[in-house]
């Protein structure tokens, strides 16, 4: 869907901060499925955690991303997603070899412009929900920078500037500024 815009890239690269800046500017936003899943799983006795059962986590992220898309269809105008279906399908395919990326990626399209946060060690911080190290985040980034173009998306690497300048950059590329 042309008005669904993905913010992807390196874990810990500033996607959530950028999403919040876009929300403050009045745009509809959808928080990262993975973080929501981890929080919910940690509240209970869930095992669909990336460090416990990564394939189950990726499958849950796919299901959550599909629900997010359905719900976002009710929002008018552009909707910004902190990660989404392509990220989850790429992870599942990487872990299991299941050919999820091509089928899901073609069936459920987003805006052709995808914005990637590059590895930025100066701002990377692990936390309760992000337990992997920076090298794992860089590996994920490299996988995603390869995956999006195979699905005919145009990737834009976000500059390492302030969050407000990043928001300006995104909106400028999309012709929304």
């Amino acid at each position: 869907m042309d008005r669904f815009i993905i913010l992807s890239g390196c874990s810990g690269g500033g996607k959530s901060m950028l999403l919040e800046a876009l929300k403050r500017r009045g745009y509809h936003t959808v928080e990262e499925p993975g973080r929501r899943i981890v929080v919910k799983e940690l509240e209970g006795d869930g095992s669909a955690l990336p460090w416990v059962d990564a394939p189950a986590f990726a499958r849950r992220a796919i299901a959550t991303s599909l629900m997010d898309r359905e719900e976002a269809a009710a929002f008018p105008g552009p909707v910004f997603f902190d990660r989404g279906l392509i990220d989850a399908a790429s992870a599942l395919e990487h872990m299991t070899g299941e050919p999820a990326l091509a089928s899901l990626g073609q069936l459920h399209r987003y805006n052709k412009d995808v914005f990637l946060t590059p590895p930025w060690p100066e701002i990377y911080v692990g936390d309760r929900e992000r337990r992997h190290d920076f090298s794992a985040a860089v590996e994920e980034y490299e996988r995603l920078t390869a995956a999006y173009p195979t699905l005919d998306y145009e990737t834009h690497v976000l500059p390492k500037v302030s969050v407000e300048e990043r928001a300006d950059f995104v909106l400028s590329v999309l012709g929304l500024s």
Side-chain angles (χ1 to χ4, degrees):
M1 188 173 270
D2 208 36
R3 60 191 189 85
F4 288 0
I5 302 136
I6 290 286
L7 307 176
S8 184
C10 191
S11 182
K15 290 179 300 301
S16 297
M17 298 282 295
L18 175 55
L19 192 80
E20 186 59 35
L22 292 165
K23 184 176 182 177
R24 282 193 306 272
R25 293 182 185 200
Y27 292 97
H28 293 283
T29 61
V30 178
E31 293 178 11
E32 180 183 348
R35 282 238 181 217
R36 288 181 281 148
I37 292 165
V38 168
V39 167
K40 188 171 185 163
E41 293 293 293
L42 289 174
E43 287 174 352
D45 292 328
S47 63
L49 294 162
W51 55 87
V52 175
D53 187 345
F57 172 77
R59 286 184 184 92
R60 179 88 48 92
I62 288 170
T64 301
S65 296
L66 289 169
M67 287 186 341
D68 288 345
R69 287 176 57 87
E70 281 184 36
E71 292 173 7
F75 298 146
V79 181
F80 291 90
F81 291 77
D82 184 344
R83 297 201 184 273
L85 184 60
I86 307 302
D87 292 51
S90 173
L92 181 65
E93 189 167 304
H94 173 72
M95 288 181 277
T96 67
E98 294 176 32
L101 187 58
S103 61
L104 288 170
Q106 292 300 340
L107 188 59
H108 304 282
R109 300 291 299 170
Y110 293 86
N111 186 290
K112 70 174 179 60
D113 293 300
V114 173
F115 299 91
L116 301 172
T117 58
W120 195 351
E122 293 81 7
I123 68 168
Y124 180 87
V125 177
D127 58 30
R128 183 171 179 247
E129 291 97 33
R130 182 186 302 126
R131 296 185 182 182
H132 55 275
D133 64 13
F134 184 69
S135 64
V138 172
E139 287 174 23
E140 172 190 44
Y141 173 77
E142 290 169 354
R143 188 176 65 251
L144 292 169
T145 59
Y148 275 100
T150 67
L151 298 171
D152 297 321
Y153 286 100
E154 184 176 336
T155 58
H156 305 274
V157 177
L158 292 167
K160 293 180 180 178
V161 294
S162 75
V163 68
E164 294 303 324
E165 290 172 296
R166 280 182 159 189
D168 291 342
F169 175 84
V170 167
L171 296 175
S172 175
V173 168
L174 294 170
L176 297 172
S177 57

